[in-house]
Amino acid sequence: MLDFHGKIQPQQEPDRAARAREILAILSQTYPDAGTALRFETPFQLLVAAMLSAQTTDRQVNKITERLFKRYREPQDFARLNPEELAREIKGCGLYKNKSRNIIATSRILVEKYNSQVPRTLGELELLPGVGRKTANVVLNVAFGQPTLPVDTHVFRVSHRLGLARGKTPEKTEEELLAIIPEYARRAAHHQLIAHGRTICTARRPRCNICPVARLCPSRDVQEPVTSG
């Protein structure tokens, strides 16, 4: 493109917000039932499951919580444990010793400060031991229906490949996604991007040949993994 001085100008970037809406419309049809894979009955159980999920697959977490929640259901149940006891129960997940200490410490805070209820604000959740921004956003999104957009490895990878974000951290990526995805679509977008990352836009070999949003993807046929860091 030439300007009025005859110099070549870079092409304007397409409207990312408009493209995001088009992509999400397609993903909502592709994954109409997308939702969390973690099994839980209460907001507290979701919080525990989300804390356990760091560096552990949802499938493995569900195996652990299936038996764990039969013995311990409420914050006061976990608050009475010592770290060694809980560590034995959750040994099948990564970083289980740290997670044991954090879950017990968080449970005690919930009992003492929140009447055994899970708080409903990002700031309060992030102050709990072992609860980072992604975990807090998952609880707000799934348990309380708030329009948060947690950025896990799948959301990070897929949103970057689709050209919806460029941030080098999950936090910056979340900020960029919130700027272009309407509030009403954020809860579902989180689950749809994860579903797409698990089934088609996988880390090592994305299946671009069957991708429903390939025509909108600037990274189609990419083979290199995309990771946060």
Side-chain angles (χ1 to χ4, degrees), residues 19 23 27 30-31 152-164 190-227:
R19 197 157 54 83
I23 287 170
L27 294 184
T30 308
Y31 311 104
D152 68 353
T153 55
H154 296 294
V155 173
F156 186 93
R157 179 180 69 253
V158 173
S159 62
H160 278 247
R161 283 182 177 166
L162 289 171
L164 301 180
H190 163 68
H191 299 294
Q192 291 157 5
L193 290 169
I194 289 176
H196 194 58
R198 284 176 170 161
T199 59
I200 293 178
C201 196
T202 54
R204 296 193 178 277
R205 292 192 178 276
R207 304 164 69 192
C208 301
N209 60 314
I210 62 169
C211 178
V213 293
R215 65 179 178 81
L216 297 166
C217 181
S219 305
R220 56 187 173 274
D221 301 319
V222 68
Q223 296 299 321
E224 298 81 5
V226 180
T227 58

Side-chain angles (χ1 to χ4, degrees), residues 128-146:
L128 297 173
V131 179
R133 186 177 184 88
K134 187 206 79 173
T135 296
N137 273 329
V138 166
V139 172
L140 295 176
N141 179 300
V142 177
F144 299 129
Q146 295 187 24

